Amino acid sequence: MLSTSGEHVPGAGGPVRVAVLGTGVIGQDLVSRIGRSPWLRCGLVAGRDPDSPGLRRAAERGCPTSADGIRAVLASEEPFAVVFDATSALSHAEHARLLAPLGTLLVDLTPSRLGRTVVPAVTGVTPPDSGSVSLISCGGQAAIPVVHALARRFDVRYVEVVSTVASVVAGRATRLNLDEYVATTAEAVTAFSGVSDAKAILNISPAVPPAVFRTAVHAVAPGADPDEVRAVAGETAERVRAFAPGYRVVACTASDGRVVVCVEVTAAGDVLPAYAGNLDIIDAAAVLVAERHAARVAAGAEVVSA
């Protein structure tokens, strides 16, 4: 259905009920985005610390909250169409196992390597009906559209992805999952480029003021033309900006078969500071996937009610 402004809005089924697991900055930003979405309704925010600022802020926004974590999701009398997992890779594996019988779509913002991989600018955002959707990592979301586009146009033989995030937005789960982040991102780079020789690096910057999120893609691509590389990078950035407006190319060079494309992502909204583009791009992708699922659920409800 379309609203009077031309915006797609839910049909007979109304907004779908969703839950957020995790009350860190990612979870808080997801709650804010859900509140602005005509497709989604926040049915629960669950963490493990009853004194968490994230739980308090979610309650202030009118969301039901619980400190019982995944147990609160499983105990809910009304099912959730989507559960966002903003915890850790290890926890996600258990969450996926427990939620599998319920037919819930689990949108994974951890580097667990479970479920169908989604990079909106490359794969589109249509999720499976249920199960887990992997968003890889923030660095993966920023780099893979570029890597994929370069590999389609040039003979790429090596890829290295180097992301830099501000220390103040690298939470406990991020630090605990550094090994998983590196492995998951490198594996996804290979999957989307076909280049087996791939490396991923994450730098956590203590700079003051905090460094804006930046990802540099280094590639060995013999014969790559500088003008073509710039065109590829520009086209890719336009596709990503469709859902992450703060994404832009800040450097692009090609010389002697060595290509460097550097992108920067700034965040917008009422939760994330501008330098937290790493969280902005993965949260934007997560909500996009959930909204597409909600549209499918709403369409099904219209058919049933017709």
Side-chain angles (χ1 to χ4, degrees), residues 164-168 170 175 203-211:
T164 300
V165 303
S167 177
V168 291
R175 296 169 191 268
N203 296 321
I204 298 178
S205 170
V208 178

Side-chain angles (χ1 to χ4, degrees), residues 50-68:
D51 298 320
S52 163
L55 282 184
R56 174 175 53 78
R57 290 168 184 155
E60 290 171 353
R61 290 179 178 271
C63 296
T65 63
S66 172
D68 286 336

Side-chain angles (χ1 to χ4, degrees), residues 33 118-122 124-125 135 141-142 145 236-247 265 280-289 291:
R33 291 174 186 269
V118 170
V119 181
V122 178
V125 294
L135 296 176
Q141 288 295 326
T236 300
E238 285 296 320
R239 289 197 298 274
V240 178
R241 277 197 292 271
F243 72 96
Y247 187 98
V265 188
D280 183 271
I281 192 169
I282 197 168
D283 287 357
V287 170
L288 201 61
V289 168
E291 289 182 330

